[in-house]
Amino acid sequence: MAELISNPSYPIVEIFQSLQGEGANTGMPSIFIRFGKCNLACPWCDTPYNDFEPWSLQQILAKVRSFSAKNIIITGGEPTIQPQLGLLLDQLKAEGYFLAIETNGLKPVPAQIDYIATSPKREYAQKYRQRCITQANEVRIVADADVQEFCALIESQIQAQHYYLSPCENNGEMNLLHTITQLGLLNQRPNKPKWQLSIQTHKLIGIE
């Protein structure tokens, strides 16, 4: 048991260095730690979160140390469902990394995280009415349908510095016209948070 605690296993899809492609930190050199498994199943998800391998804590740390960036993005899948995530975050924090997370916002975010980007999912609106995180640095919602009501719900549930609307990609096509139309409707409401467009620029320029 002591060995499991000191060097637990995590479901890892991939670990790589690239540039953050979306949101307020677009362009930031980052190490991405992508976990497998998710507590949702969005039909348009582009992440192979069920295609993972077990990595030990020491394997993850060794891989992270092989890169030059000092910013880490914990992503998935859904990272907040990972057992013993806090142990990994403690190790990364002790080595001086800035820790950001990308989460669907349904479960609490570990205290070690420096920056929270949450992407609530309209298809699971009822879950967000019942419980979700209450604060984030940025909110990103995918415009997979008419999202006006859902965006208003999330505004009331999650206080954030930035609110973003992102296109939904299906079969390689982004619904940009629909997205900016939805964006315009959101931003014509008086006395409401202003939403911005966030595009996955890493896909446009062909990087991970």
Short mmCIF file of all heavy atoms in Angstrom, two decimals, residues 67-93:
data_model
loop_
_atom_site.label_atom_id
_atom_site.label_comp_id
_atom_site.label_asym_id
_atom_site.label_seq_id
_atom_site.Cartn_x
_atom_site.Cartn_y
_atom_site.Cartn_z
N PHE A 67 10.80 18.73 -20.76
CA PHE A 67 10.38 19.88 -21.55
C PHE A 67 10.89 21.17 -20.91
O PHE A 67 11.26 21.20 -19.73
CB PHE A 67 8.87 19.93 -21.65
CG PHE A 67 8.25 18.73 -22.34
CD1 PHE A 67 7.39 17.89 -21.66
CD2 PHE A 67 8.54 18.45 -23.67
CE1 PHE A 67 6.82 16.79 -22.29
CE2 PHE A 67 7.99 17.36 -24.30
CZ PHE A 67 7.13 16.54 -23.62
N SER A 68 10.86 22.26 -21.68
CA SER A 68 11.40 23.55 -21.20
C SER A 68 10.34 24.45 -20.56
O SER A 68 10.69 25.32 -19.75
CB SER A 68 12.06 24.30 -22.37
OG SER A 68 11.10 24.55 -23.40
N ALA A 69 9.08 24.30 -20.91
CA ALA A 69 8.04 25.20 -20.40
C ALA A 69 7.86 25.03 -18.90
O ALA A 69 8.10 23.94 -18.35
CB ALA A 69 6.72 24.95 -21.12
N LYS A 70 7.45 26.11 -18.25
CA LYS A 70 7.19 26.07 -16.80
C LYS A 70 5.70 26.23 -16.49
O LYS A 70 5.32 26.37 -15.33
CB LYS A 70 7.99 27.17 -16.09
CG LYS A 70 9.49 26.99 -16.19
CD LYS A 70 9.96 25.66 -15.59
CE LYS A 70 9.88 25.66 -14.07
NZ LYS A 70 10.42 24.41 -13.49
N ASN A 71 4.89 26.22 -17.52
CA ASN A 71 3.43 26.25 -17.35
C ASN A 71 2.89 24.87 -17.70
O ASN A 71 3.25 24.30 -18.72
CB ASN A 71 2.80 27.30 -18.28
CG ASN A 71 3.41 28.67 -18.10
OD1 ASN A 71 3.39 29.23 -17.03
ND2 ASN A 71 3.98 29.20 -19.19
N ILE A 72 2.01 24.36 -16.86
CA ILE A 72 1.42 23.05 -17.10
C ILE A 72 -0.10 23.20 -17.18
O ILE A 72 -0.71 23.89 -16.36
CB ILE A 72 1.79 22.06 -15.99
CG1 ILE A 72 3.28 21.74 -16.05
CG2 ILE A 72 0.97 20.77 -16.09
CD1 ILE A 72 3.76 20.79 -14.98
N ILE A 73 -0.69 22.55 -18.18
CA ILE A 73 -2.14 22.52 -18.32
C ILE A 73 -2.60 21.09 -18.05
O ILE A 73 -2.24 20.16 -18.77
CB ILE A 73 -2.60 22.99 -19.70
CG1 ILE A 73 -2.19 24.47 -19.89
CG2 ILE A 73 -4.10 22.82 -19.86
CD1 ILE A 73 -2.50 25.03 -21.26
N ILE A 74 -3.36 20.93 -16.99
CA ILE A 74 -3.94 19.65 -16.61
C ILE A 74 -5.27 19.53 -17.32
O ILE A 74 -6.18 20.33 -17.10
CB ILE A 74 -4.14 19.56 -15.09
CG1 ILE A 74 -2.84 19.89 -14.34
CG2 ILE A 74 -4.69 18.20 -14.69
CD1 ILE A 74 -1.74 18.89 -14.54
N THR A 75 -5.41 18.55 -18.21
CA THR A 75 -6.60 18.47 -19.04
C THR A 75 -7.04 17.02 -19.19
O THR A 75 -6.53 16.12 -18.54
CB THR A 75 -6.34 19.17 -20.40
OG1 THR A 75 -7.53 19.23 -21.17
CG2 THR A 75 -5.23 18.49 -21.18
N GLY A 76 -8.00 16.77 -20.05
CA GLY A 76 -8.52 15.42 -20.18
C GLY A 76 -9.22 15.22 -21.51
O GLY A 76 -8.94 15.95 -22.47
N GLY A 77 -10.22 14.32 -21.48
CA GLY A 77 -10.93 13.74 -20.35
C GLY A 77 -11.33 14.77 -19.30
O GLY A 77 -11.50 15.93 -19.57
N GLU A 78 -11.48 14.26 -18.09
CA GLU A 78 -11.82 15.14 -16.97
C GLU A 78 -10.83 14.90 -15.84
O GLU A 78 -10.88 13.88 -15.16
CB GLU A 78 -13.25 14.91 -16.50
CG GLU A 78 -13.65 15.73 -15.29
CD GLU A 78 -13.32 17.21 -15.43
OE1 GLU A 78 -13.61 17.79 -16.51
OE2 GLU A 78 -12.76 17.78 -14.48
N PRO A 79 -9.92 15.86 -15.62
CA PRO A 79 -8.87 15.64 -14.63
C PRO A 79 -9.35 15.59 -13.18
O PRO A 79 -8.71 14.94 -12.35
CB PRO A 79 -7.92 16.82 -14.85
CG PRO A 79 -8.72 17.85 -15.57
CD PRO A 79 -9.72 17.09 -16.39
N THR A 80 -10.45 16.26 -12.86
CA THR A 80 -10.87 16.31 -11.45
C THR A 80 -11.41 14.98 -10.94
O THR A 80 -11.63 14.84 -9.73
CB THR A 80 -11.94 17.40 -11.23
OG1 THR A 80 -13.11 17.08 -12.00
CG2 THR A 80 -11.42 18.77 -11.63
N ILE A 81 -11.63 13.99 -11.81
CA ILE A 81 -12.12 12.70 -11.34
C ILE A 81 -10.97 11.74 -11.03
O ILE A 81 -11.21 10.61 -10.63
CB ILE A 81 -13.07 12.04 -12.37
CG1 ILE A 81 -12.33 11.67 -13.66
CG2 ILE A 81 -14.25 12.96 -12.67
CD1 ILE A 81 -13.18 10.88 -14.66
N GLN A 82 -9.73 12.20 -11.20
CA GLN A 82 -8.59 11.31 -11.04
C GLN A 82 -8.23 11.12 -9.56
O GLN A 82 -7.96 12.11 -8.87
CB GLN A 82 -7.36 11.85 -11.79
CG GLN A 82 -7.61 12.17 -13.25
CD GLN A 82 -8.07 10.96 -14.04
OE1 GLN A 82 -7.70 9.83 -13.73
NE2 GLN A 82 -8.85 11.18 -15.09
N PRO A 83 -8.22 9.90 -9.06
CA PRO A 83 -7.76 9.65 -7.68
C PRO A 83 -6.30 10.06 -7.51
O PRO A 83 -5.49 9.91 -8.42
CB PRO A 83 -7.93 8.14 -7.51
CG PRO A 83 -8.88 7.73 -8.57
CD PRO A 83 -8.65 8.66 -9.73
N GLN A 84 -5.98 10.62 -6.38
CA GLN A 84 -4.61 11.02 -6.03
C GLN A 84 -4.04 12.09 -6.98
O GLN A 84 -2.82 12.20 -7.12
CB GLN A 84 -3.68 9.81 -5.93
CG GLN A 84 -4.16 8.78 -4.90
CD GLN A 84 -3.11 7.77 -4.54
OE1 GLN A 84 -2.09 8.11 -3.94
NE2 GLN A 84 -3.34 6.51 -4.89
N LEU A 85 -4.92 12.85 -7.62
CA LEU A 85 -4.44 13.96 -8.44
C LEU A 85 -3.64 14.94 -7.59
O LEU A 85 -2.64 15.50 -8.04
CB LEU A 85 -5.62 14.68 -9.11
CG LEU A 85 -5.27 15.90 -9.96
CD1 LEU A 85 -4.38 15.52 -11.13
CD2 LEU A 85 -6.55 16.59 -10.46
N GLY A 86 -4.09 15.15 -6.36
CA GLY A 86 -3.41 16.10 -5.49
C GLY A 86 -1.95 15.77 -5.26
O GLY A 86 -1.10 16.67 -5.13
N LEU A 87 -1.61 14.49 -5.21
CA LEU A 87 -0.21 14.10 -5.00
C LEU A 87 0.66 14.55 -6.17
O LEU A 87 1.75 15.08 -5.98
CB LEU A 87 -0.13 12.59 -4.82
CG LEU A 87 1.26 12.00 -4.55
CD1 LEU A 87 1.88 12.63 -3.32
CD2 LEU A 87 1.18 10.48 -4.40
N LEU A 88 0.16 14.35 -7.38
CA LEU A 88 0.90 14.82 -8.57
C LEU A 88 1.02 16.33 -8.56
O LEU A 88 2.10 16.88 -8.82
CB LEU A 88 0.17 14.35 -9.84
CG LEU A 88 0.69 14.94 -11.16
CD1 LEU A 88 2.15 14.56 -11.40
CD2 LEU A 88 -0.19 14.48 -12.33
N LEU A 89 -0.06 17.03 -8.25
CA LEU A 89 -0.03 18.50 -8.24
C LEU A 89 0.94 19.02 -7.19
O LEU A 89 1.64 20.02 -7.43
CB LEU A 89 -1.43 19.05 -8.01
CG LEU A 89 -2.48 18.70 -9.06
CD1 LEU A 89 -3.83 19.31 -8.70
CD2 LEU A 89 -2.05 19.14 -10.46
N ASP A 90 0.99 18.38 -6.03
CA ASP A 90 1.94 18.79 -5.00
C ASP A 90 3.37 18.70 -5.51
O ASP A 90 4.20 19.59 -5.27
CB ASP A 90 1.78 17.91 -3.76
CG ASP A 90 0.56 18.27 -2.92
OD1 ASP A 90 0.04 19.40 -3.07
OD2 ASP A 90 0.13 17.41 -2.12
N GLN A 91 3.67 17.62 -6.22
CA GLN A 91 5.02 17.43 -6.75
C GLN A 91 5.36 18.50 -7.79
O GLN A 91 6.46 19.07 -7.79
CB GLN A 91 5.14 16.04 -7.39
CG GLN A 91 5.04 14.89 -6.40
CD GLN A 91 6.32 14.68 -5.60
OE1 GLN A 91 7.39 15.11 -6.02
NE2 GLN A 91 6.20 14.05 -4.46
N LEU A 92 4.41 18.78 -8.68
CA LEU A 92 4.64 19.78 -9.72
C LEU A 92 4.79 21.18 -9.12
O LEU A 92 5.62 21.98 -9.55
CB LEU A 92 3.50 19.76 -10.73
CG LEU A 92 3.36 18.46 -11.54
CD1 LEU A 92 2.08 18.48 -12.35
CD2 LEU A 92 4.57 18.25 -12.45
N LYS A 93 3.96 21.46 -8.12
CA LYS A 93 4.02 22.76 -7.46
C LYS A 93 5.37 22.95 -6.77
O LYS A 93 5.97 24.02 -6.81
CB LYS A 93 2.88 22.84 -6.45
CG LYS A 93 2.49 24.25 -6.06
CD LYS A 93 1.75 24.91 -7.20
CE LYS A 93 1.23 26.27 -6.76
NZ LYS A 93 0.64 27.01 -7.90
#
